[in-house]
């Protein structure tokens, strides 16, 4: 039983009430076994609506338990409960859960750990498995940010800190006590289950003097590789191993771990760094006070902000494990290709409104110039019940509205006034779908971590500049592309993903930068039920909330 409730928490010199689950921040870790049937009753103990999403769980035939408000369910209203029921099939590793309404996920999030049925595909014995959740902290309340953005067409204020497991770390004011410390024993190997729950920033992460071995991303195994730092977008998870082997006599036994953003933006932006420590047992570190902020040296291999070369190289090393036991099921052919441009837009300010976006206009964001508007009801329910679809339509444009050439062109001229509406596209059960995501953002300063619900996908190609069907399809990796649920579309570039659309339901697809989702950088697709009984969406549970 999970209760969403307010709790007073002190961070960065002041106290505020935040939404929590079971009074914990970050929320409780949900540990399940591969293949297990899971039931989680969520009770809304506050006076605002809520929902919970199990990020990355495929929800095979159980779209009712997916969680995005107004897409697969109406919100759980104050005082109500809803039991999310699903089976964990064909996935193992690290995922996470978070609120999926307004900006509640700023504080309502936690880890999901799926223990594999078979032993880990790496032989090193693991001493401990440690969830590492990156987050962002705002001194002001976050629940109303989206309302303000809607009202003024503005951007959000930047956060006041990044956090590791809810703790900003001692580089921030009043935060010496709020620093994450992990004790380790010399010679042992540890598993970090890393989750980027931050709202708006991709992060680099490194531990001084220690090498990280990446073994799994988004609950799917990778070919293990060593790296000095990782890059992780909001929405993504990465499981890494490291061995505590740096306990030499010239060291104190205390090592800094740090996360900081990969990209800066021109908007108010938090460019600070969150740190924690590894502390070796039986060393000086055990009896030592933590160093003063001015004495802290960040890991020298933590990449600098804007280190595109590092980020690109890191991402290119991620490959599916592709063994007999865990084959890479990337579709080698496709039945349907959808090309989607991703834009940030400026919309003219309606008369009688005050707009605080840019140049007196409103910010918006769109896919194929279509800015997503959440309907007042559950799209999944309307789809299932075959209600005449006045609330949404299935005519999302499957090609960019303009011939795209965004290199060297002033993107502002392409990006005015998107269309607003609730448009999705529909595919038959079993479609081998390719989606090409092409970034076109004006100002062009961000990756867009695009997340798809209900399916994992294979990232068969990425590149900079304009996507070119002929040239780029020839270079696809159809052997061992990484399997994920969230892809960072390179800024000023593209990513091609392939999906076996074998999960009937309505699936949200959106940028996992919360500000962009709020501006409408979203769409979704409907996978129709197949002919066999096992290819159909299950009926809705009885306690499904109503709008
Ligand atoms: Cu992690 Cu639609 O969300």
């Amino acid at each position: 039983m999970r209760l969403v409730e307010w709790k007073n928490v002190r961070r960065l010199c002041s106290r505020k009430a935040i939404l929590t689950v079971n009074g914990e921040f970050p929320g409780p870790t949900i540990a399940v076994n591969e293949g297990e049937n899971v039931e989680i009753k969520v009770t809304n103990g506050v006076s605002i609506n809520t929902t919970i999403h199990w990020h990355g769980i495929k929800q095979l035939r159980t779209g009712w338990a997916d969680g995005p408000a107004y897409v697969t369910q109406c919100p759980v209203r104050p005082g109500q409960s809803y039991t999310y029921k699903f089976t964990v099939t064909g996935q193992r590793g690290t995922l996470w859960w978070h609120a999926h309404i307004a900006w509640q996920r700023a504080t309502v999030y936690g880890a999901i750990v799926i223990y594999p049925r078979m032993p880990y595909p790496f032989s090193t014995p693991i001493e401990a498995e440690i969830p590492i959740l990156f987050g962002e902290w705002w001194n002001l309340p976050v629940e109303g940010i989206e309302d303000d953005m809607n009202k003024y067409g503005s951007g959000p204020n930047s956060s006041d800190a990044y956090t590791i497991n809810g703790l900003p770390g001692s580089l921030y004011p009043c935060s010496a006590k709020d620093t994450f410390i992990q004790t380790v024993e010399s010679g042992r190997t540890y598993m970090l289950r890393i989750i980027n729950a931050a709202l708006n920033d991709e992060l680099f992460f490194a531990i001084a003097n220690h090498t990280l071995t990446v073994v799994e991303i988004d609950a799917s195994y990778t070919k293990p590789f060593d790296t000095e730092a990782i890059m992780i977008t909001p929405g993504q998870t990465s499981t890494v191993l490291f061995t505590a082997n740096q306990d030499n006599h010239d060291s104190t036994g205390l090592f800094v771990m740090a996360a900081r953003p990969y990209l800066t933006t021109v908007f108010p932006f938090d460019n600070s760094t969150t740190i924690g420590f590894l502390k070796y047992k039986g060393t000086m570190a055990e009896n030592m006070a933590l160093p003063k902020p001015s004495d802290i040296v960040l890991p020298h291999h933590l990449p600098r902000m804007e280190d595109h070369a590092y980020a690109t190289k890191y991402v290119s090393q991620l490959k599916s494990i592709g063994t007999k036991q865990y084959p890479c099921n990337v579709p080698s052919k496709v039945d349907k290709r959808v090309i989607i441009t991703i834009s940030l837009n400026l919309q003219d300010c309606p008369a009688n409104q005050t707009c605080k976006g840019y140049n007196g206009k409103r910010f918006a964001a769109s896919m194929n110039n279509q800015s997503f508007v959440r309907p007042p009801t559950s799209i999944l329910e309307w789809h299932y019940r075959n209600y005449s679809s006045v609330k949404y339509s299935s005519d999302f444009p499957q090609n960019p509205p303009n011939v795209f050439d965004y290199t060297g062109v002033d993107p502002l001229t392409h990006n005015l006034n998107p269309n607003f509406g609730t448009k999705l596209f529909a595919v038959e059960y079993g479609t081998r779908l390719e989606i090409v995501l092409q970034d076109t953002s004006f100002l062009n300063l961000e990756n867009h971590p695009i997340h798809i619900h209900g399916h994992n996908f294979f990232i068969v190609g990425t590149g900079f500049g304009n996507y070119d069907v002929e040239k780029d399809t020839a270079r696809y990796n159809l052997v061992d592309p990484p399997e994920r649920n969230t892809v960072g579309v390179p800024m000023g570039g593209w990513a091609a993903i392939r999906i076996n659309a074998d999960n009937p339901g309505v699936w949200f697809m959106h940028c996992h930068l919360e500000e962009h989702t709020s501006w409408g950088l979203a769409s979704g697709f409907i996978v129709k039920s197949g002919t066999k009984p096992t290819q159909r969406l299950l009926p809705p549970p009885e306690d499904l909330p109503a709008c």
Side-chain angles (χ1 to χ4, degrees), residues 291-542:
K292 292 200 298 290
S294 53
D295 292 342
I296 288 167
V297 181
L298 293 179
H300 70 270
H301 45 69
L302 180 68
R304 313 223 150 261
M305 268 182 268
E306 306 285 336
D307 192 340
H308 305 304
Y310 191 91
T312 307
K313 181 179 143 246
Y314 172 76
V315 168
S316 74
Q317 289 171 292
L318 299 166
K319 305 262 159 63
S320 280
I321 191 167
T323 54
K324 209 149 135 223
Q325 193 160 22
Y326 303 107
C328 178
N329 293 319
V330 55
S332 54
K333 298 224 164 48
V334 296
D335 304 309
K336 184 184 184 76
R337 175 181 287 133
V338 179
I339 301 184
I340 297 177
T341 49
I342 297 168
S343 306
L344 300 188
N345 308 85
L346 282 177
Q347 183 205 1
D348 294 334
C349 193
N352 72 27
Q353 232 196 50
T354 319
C355 296
K356 298 185 184 167
Y358 178 77
N359 263 350
K361 300 189 183 206
R362 291 179 64 90
F363 283 121
S366 59
M367 292 182 150
N368 281 346
N369 216 39
Q370 192 58 53
S371 190
F372 189 79
V373 178
R374 254 152 303 172
T377 189
S378 154
I379 301 175
L380 182 62
E381 199 176 347
W382 279 61
H383 162 70
Y384 179 80
R385 302 198 192 283
N386 256 320
Y387 290 161
S388 67
S389 63
V390 287
K391 311 270 189 197
Y392 71 92
S393 57
S394 311
D395 56 350
F396 176 80
Q398 297 178 27
N399 278 292
N402 308 312
V403 178
F404 58 90
D405 176 13
Y406 297 92
T407 46
V409 180
D410 174 11
L412 282 169
T413 57
H414 287 261
N415 281 305
L416 301 168
N417 294 327
N419 303 313
F420 292 85
T422 310
K423 289 187 193 288
L424 299 85
F425 61 97
V427 298
E428 298 300 325
Y429 179 91
T431 300
R432 293 164 299 179
L433 177 64
E434 179 169 303
I435 301 179
V436 178
L437 299 156
Q438 170 77 48
D439 178 37
T440 66
S441 308
F442 83 94
L443 304 173
N444 225 12
L445 287 163
E446 280 175 297
N447 281 28
H448 295 278
I450 303 295
H451 170 50
I452 291 182
H453 288 225
H455 298 81
N456 278 1
F457 49 73
F458 299 90
I459 306 167
V460 294
T462 55
F464 291 102
N466 295 328
Y467 174 75
D468 174 328
V469 184
E470 309 272 295
K471 197 174 89 244
D472 290 323
T473 46
R475 295 185 305 137
Y476 281 174
N477 175 2
L478 298 176
V479 178
D480 58 0
E483 182 178 349
R484 307 206 80 140
N485 60 56
T486 305
V487 56
V489 178
M491 84 179 183
W494 55 272
I497 61 177
R498 287 193 177 180
I499 302 172
N500 293 304
D502 57 2
N503 191 6
V506 175
W507 305 110
F508 204 30
M509 165 173 76
H510 62 96
C511 184
H512 221 285
L513 304 181
E514 208 58 32
E515 57 180 333
H516 295 175
T517 313
S518 296
W519 287 334
L521 217 178
S523 177
F525 56 89
I526 296 167
V527 178
K528 296 183 195 161
S529 284
T531 45
K532 299 209 190 91
T534 55
Q535 301 173 341
R536 291 197 198 120
L537 177 64
L538 294 170
E542 269 169 23

Side-chain angles (χ1 to χ4, degrees), residues 19 156 501:
L19 282 177

Side-chain angles (χ1 to χ4, degrees), residues 67-252:
Y70 306 110
V71 178
T72 60
Q73 69 166 95
C74 299
V76 184
R77 284 185 286 191
Q80 286 188 334
S81 298
Y82 177 46
T83 302
Y84 292 87
K85 294 184 190 156
F86 53 88
T87 306
V88 181
T89 29
Q91 298 178 280
R92 67 291 296 166
T94 309
L95 292 173
W96 61 301
W97 56 268
H98 61 79
H100 209 305
I101 184 166
W103 280 45
Q104 288 179 19
R105 78 173 182 86
T107 58
V108 179
Y109 63 86
I112 297 178
V113 174
I114 307 168
Y115 292 113
R117 198 171 285 167
M118 308 296 290
Y120 290 130
F122 36 87
S123 51
T124 341
I126 307 296
E127 177 69 13
E129 302 187 0
I130 304 150
I132 297 283
L133 296 102
F134 301 131
E136 279 178 271
W137 179 264
W138 273 261
N139 287 330
L140 294 171
V142 284
E143 291 74 26
I145 289 181
E146 194 174 62
D147 295 341
D148 278 353
M149 291 173 70
N150 286 336
K151 197 152 148 215
Y152 300 114
S154 56
N157 289 333
S158 79
S159 57
D160 297 289
Y162 297 102
T163 54
I164 297 177
N165 294 342
L167 303 169
S170 56
L171 292 180
Y172 293 99
C174 311
S175 299
K177 276 206 229 72
D178 295 325
T179 303
F180 174 73
I181 298 171
Q182 178 64 44
T183 306
V184 295
E185 239 174 286
S186 184
R188 305 286 163 90
T189 297
Y190 294 82
M191 174 186 278
L192 299 181
R193 298 184 172 278
I194 303 174
I195 295 161
N196 188 351
L199 282 93
N200 295 315
D201 284 292
E202 288 140 329
L203 299 168
F204 286 126
F205 171 74
I207 307 178
N209 296 47
H210 291 74
T211 300
L212 307 174
T213 307
V214 179
V215 293
E216 171 250 307
I217 51 172
D218 296 9
S220 103
Y221 290 128
T222 57
K223 294 197 168 70
F225 68 95
D226 290 347
T227 186
E228 293 190 318
I230 68 160
M231 195 280 275
I232 186 166
T233 77
Q236 293 182 336
T237 55
S238 302
T239 301
V240 305
L241 311 181
F242 73 89
T243 301
N245 55 6
Q246 292 299 313
D247 175 23
N248 333 314
H249 16 254
D250 53 346
S251 98
T252 55

Side-chain angles (χ1 to χ4, degrees), residues 2-6 19-21 42-46 50 52 108:
R2 311 279 163 183
L3 178 67
V4 179
E5 60 190 354
W6 293 104
L19 282 177
T20 61
V21 169
V42 172
T43 300
N44 183 350
V46 296
T50 195
I52 305 285
V108 179

